Every structure is written in C-alpha cells, then in structure tokens.
Amino acid sequence: MAFRNTPDSFGLITRVLHWAMALLVLTMLALGLRISDMEPGLSNLWLYGLHKTLGFGVLTLIVLRLGWHLISPVPKPIGPPGLAQLAARAGHILFYVLLIAIPISGWAGSSATGIDVMIADRWVVQPIAEVSEAGEAFWFSVHEVLTKILIGLIIVHMLAALKRELAGDGTLRRMIRGRV
C-alpha cells in the first residue's frame, strides 16, 4: 500500500485526508445548522466552542492537504479530457477556497463579538477582526452564504461521484481503494 499518490492512484495519505475531511465537514455542517437555530446560553455554549474547535480542525486539515498535494500530486483524472473534467477541476478548486474561507469568516465573526475565540476550551487564538456589531453581522453573513454554497457543492460532488461510479469508470473506487 503506497502512502504517496502515483500518476494513476491515490495514496493512503490522500485518501485518509479526503475521508477525514468529508466526515469532519459533514459533522460541522450538522452542528452549524443545529446551533444556528439556538439562542446562545450557558447550557449550550459548549456547542459553539465545539463548532469553533472543529472549524480550526477543518482549516488545519485543508492546509495540510494543500501541502501534501505539493509533495504528492493527485493522479490524472479518469476518462477523456473535456467539460466534465474541467467542471470537476473547478469544483475541487472551489472546495479548497470554501474550506479556507468558511473557517476564516467564522473566526472573523467570532472575533468581532469581542468574546475570546478558543480551541478546545483551552487555547485562546488571536482575534482577526475588530470588535463591532457591524463586523460581526458582516462576517457571520459571509460565513452563512459560503456555507450554503458548500452544501450545494457537496451535493453536486456526491451526485457526480455516484454517477461516475454507476457508469463504471472507477473514480469512486479509486478514492476508496487507491486504484481502479
């Protein structure tokens, strides 16, 4: 079992990063949707802290994944070049942009509240936005819009992977097993 990618297969590290991020992002979305309907209070404040901690986890993993792809480039796409490959490439780039921008906008919105932003209820991180109600509203609006775009992109990504698998091209198998 290869740790690195080859021109035709995904290595173990890429696959673990992919599926760990998928699980973490889906967990974050579920948690984010849950807390967006809550009024913050002492009994549920820990959920907000958990969301922030996991958000920093997403940000860390996406930076690691980008670094890993510099060391171990992804395999070439399956199938002939064309519009589908171009759309898939654009979708993957959008994933990277969103998975960086969403945690940063949440961090900025949390910073603008004036309340310490903490990881695991233990480490305070530097604020990245001035304390202001207008800044808080702006950054959390950006966070919400980008998250809705991410949800749509995830749905399209999953449907495209399923379509390709049903067509028998092996793309999904390659992300699960590493090779077709």
Side-chain angles (χ1 to χ4, degrees), residues 98-116:
L98 290 171
L99 292 174
I100 292 170
I102 292 170
I104 289 175
S105 63
W107 182 4
S110 293
S111 295
T113 67
I115 299 170
D116 284 341

Side-chain angles (χ1 to χ4, degrees), residues 125-137:
V125 295
Q126 288 293 100
I128 59 170
E130 297 276 330
V131 175
S132 106
E133 285 184 30
E136 177 184 352

